[in-house]
């Protein structure tokens, strides 16, 4: 289980570094690959669930609009393969349209849920890196920002400077005037 988490963390790290156009290209290639597999296995075995992979990539690493685009694209591709390339008989001629609409609805709902989850995840991530009192970075946020700055400085062969402020005798403010006054001093500084 730990190896699987590490594997997905590494994939996430790689995908986070990709541009929006690279993400669209990856999602497009995956859609094409899944379409080919769908065509090859025939209509008896459903592969529509696998279309959620490029939709999820486009939504999570791109935007909601990209996710919806791939939801429509995947539904149209599935319908085209089902109706044009692997013709078979349904009890009613509208069933392929119904199936396409149901898949599209599922894909759009998945896109909406992923967008909501991404928004909440980013909010939690920001909260975990920010001090609630001052709104500044906490230790975790500072360590991550410093790591990025050191990597950037190393890559470009430039020095990095860190400055900090030390409040002399700050403990006396808390001891004499209480923590609420100390909090006001911190917020002011």
């Amino acid at each position: 289980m730990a190896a699987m988490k590490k594997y997905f963390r590494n994939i996430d790290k790689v995908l986070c570094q990709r541009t929006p156009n690279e993400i669209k290209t990856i999602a497009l290639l995956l859609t094409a690959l899944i379409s080919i597999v769908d065509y090859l296995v025939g209509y008896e075995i459903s592969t529509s669930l696998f279309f959620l992979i490029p939709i999820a990539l486009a939504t999570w690493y791109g935007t909601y609009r990209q996710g919806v685009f791939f939801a429509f694209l995947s539904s149209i591709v599935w319908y085209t393969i089902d109706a044009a390339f692997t013709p078979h008989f349904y009890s009613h001629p509208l069933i392929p349209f119904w199936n396409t609409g149901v898949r599209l609805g599922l894909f759009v709902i998945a896109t909406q849920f992923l967008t909501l989850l991404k928004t909440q995840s980013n909010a939690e991530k920001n909260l975990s890196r920010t001090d609630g009192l001052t709104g500044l970075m906490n230790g975790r946020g500072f360590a991550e920002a410093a790591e990025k700055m050191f990597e950037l400085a190393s890559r470009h062969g430039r020095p990095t400077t860190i400055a900090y402020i030390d409040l002399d005798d700050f403990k006396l403010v808390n001891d004499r005037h209480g923590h609420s006054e100390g909090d006001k001093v911190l917020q002011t500084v």
Side-chain angles (χ1 to χ4, degrees):
M1 189 63 140
M4 189 76 116
K5 282 183 182 180
K6 185 178 179 182
Y7 178 73
F8 282 116
R9 222 175 296 126
N10 288 338
I11 290 174
D12 181 58
K13 190 174 181 179
V14 168
L15 290 173
C16 282
Q17 296 171 352
R18 299 291 164 241
T19 66
N21 283 336
E22 290 174 328
I23 294 297
K24 285 188 265 186
T25 302
I26 292 168
L28 197 57
L29 290 172
L30 282 171
T31 302
L33 179 66
I34 294 165
S35 301
I36 292 167
V37 170
D38 187 31
Y39 173 74
L40 293 174
V41 299
Y43 68 91
E44 291 182 319
I45 299 174
S46 177
T47 59
S48 59
L49 181 67
F50 296 105
F51 282 104
L52 284 171
I53 297 169
I55 293 168
L57 283 175
T59 303
W60 192 264
Y61 298 102
T63 63
Y64 172 76
R65 290 180 66 178
Q66 289 175 356
V68 170
F69 170 79
F70 278 95
F72 273 93
L73 179 65
S74 297
S75 298
I76 291 168
V77 165
W78 177 85
Y79 173 78
T80 304
I81 291 170
D82 188 58
F85 296 120
T86 55
H88 46 280
F89 299 101
Y90 288 103
S91 60
H92 194 277
L94 293 178
I95 289 176
F97 296 107
W98 171 261
N99 290 344
T100 302
V102 169
R103 282 181 176 84
L104 176 60
L106 172 72
F107 294 159
V108 170
I109 288 170
T111 302
Q112 290 174 333
F113 279 131
L114 281 169
T115 302
L116 180 62
L117 181 63
K118 179 181 173 184
T119 302
Q120 292 298 320
S121 175
N122 288 339
E124 292 293 323
K125 187 176 181 180
N126 289 335
L127 283 174
S128 73
R129 288 158 177 75
T130 307
D131 177 66
L133 178 65
T134 62
L136 299 174
M137 282 188 269
N138 62 16
R140 177 184 293 135
F142 175 78
E144 289 175 358
E147 182 181 340
K148 287 178 185 177
M149 289 303 296
F150 290 139
E151 287 175 8
L152 187 64
S154 175
R155 187 178 330 135
H156 295 287
R158 297 192 177 223
T160 299
T161 303
I162 296 177
Y164 68 94
I165 297 174
D166 182 29
L167 298 179
D168 290 335
D169 300 321
F170 178 71
K171 185 177 181 323
L172 292 176
V173 174
N174 279 338
D175 291 345
R176 290 185 184 158
H177 304 286
H179 288 281
S180 62
E181 285 301 313
D183 289 350
K184 287 178 186 175
V185 169
L186 284 175
Q187 288 172 327
T188 301
V189 171

